[in-house]
């Protein structure tokens, strides 16, 4: 009889532990720094801006190093955008299709510049955009970044490349001054 009571007590304890764990898991979701959708929207918007600005630099800059950097940005950010879009679709998240208005305004303004002024503005925008991207991806990759483990992993994998892009943009900005 004692064994049966101990067994009942054990199962009651186990049931209570599972109930508490499920409550804790629900509360943990509220402790993430951003929602999956917010990360995807911001990351893809930033990515689209960088591709658009780099495409403009390919046609407007006369500086071979800037053109080379722009080509790299087009290639690597296009690939990153495809990968993130595929991941977001698999998670049934929405995909932004247009540039944000502020980004479109920046592209329009950048298109008005020529020569050395274009190069200075392009590199300034690339530094600012990559600083924003590094911060966003670093935040998302943290244990409390976003709820989606696949998105956290994606952000963690892509952060070093974004940091390298930032360093390259900073070097170009210094040279363009």
């Amino acid at each position: 009889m004692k064994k049966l009571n101990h067994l009942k007590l054990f199962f009651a304890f186990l049931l209570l532990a599972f109930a508490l764990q499920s409550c804790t898991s629900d509360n943990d979701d509220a402790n993430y720094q951003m929602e999956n959708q917010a990360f995807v929207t911001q990351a893809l918007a930033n990515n689209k801006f960088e591709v658009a600005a780099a495409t403009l630099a390919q046609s407007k800059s006369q500086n071979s190093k800037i053109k080379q950097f722009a080509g790299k940005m087009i290639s690597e950010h296009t690939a990153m955008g495809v990968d993130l879009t595929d991941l977001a679709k698999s998670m049934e998240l929405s995909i932004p299709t247009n540039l944000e208005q502020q980004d479109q305004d920046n592209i329009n303004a950048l298109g008005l510049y020529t020569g050395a002024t274009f190069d200075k503005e392009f590199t300034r925008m690339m530094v600012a955009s990559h600083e924003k991207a590094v911060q966003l991806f670093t935040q998302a990759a943290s244990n409390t970044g976003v709820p989606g483990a696949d998105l956290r992993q994606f952000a963690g994998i892509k952060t070093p490349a974004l940091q390298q892009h930032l360093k390259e943009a900073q070097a170009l900005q210094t040279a363009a001054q």
Side-chain angles (χ1 to χ4, degrees), residues 26-45:
D26 289 342
N27 291 337
D28 286 346
D29 287 345
N31 292 328
Y32 286 101
Q33 297 175 46
M34 74 183 91
E35 294 296 321
N36 292 334
Q37 183 64 63
F39 170 71
V40 166
T41 299
Q42 291 175 39
L44 286 174

Side-chain angles (χ1 to χ4, degrees), residues 5-24:
N5 284 340
H6 287 289
L7 197 55
K8 286 180 185 177
L9 186 60
F10 173 75
F11 282 116
F13 176 78
L14 208 61
L15 183 63
L16 180 61
F18 281 124
L20 288 175
Q21 178 62 34
S22 71
C23 289
T24 302

Side-chain angles (χ1 to χ4, degrees), residues 76-135:
E76 293 185 13
H77 281 281
T78 297
M80 184 187 299
V82 168
D83 292 345
L84 183 52
T85 296
D86 290 346
L87 178 56
K89 284 180 180 177
S90 76
M91 297 174 71
E92 298 182 1
L93 299 171
S94 63
I95 310 301
T97 56
N98 298 320
L99 284 173
E100 292 183 350
Q101 189 58 51
Q102 180 181 354
D103 290 339
Q104 185 61 58
D105 293 345
N106 285 333
I107 293 295
N108 294 342
L110 185 61
L112 299 175
Y113 297 112
T114 59
T117 304
F118 175 87
D119 293 343
K120 286 178 188 179
E121 284 302 305
F122 171 72
T123 57
R124 182 190 64 75
M125 286 182 185
M126 285 294 97
V127 167
S129 182
H130 281 92
E131 285 174 343
K132 182 178 166 183
V134 166
Q135 180 181 8

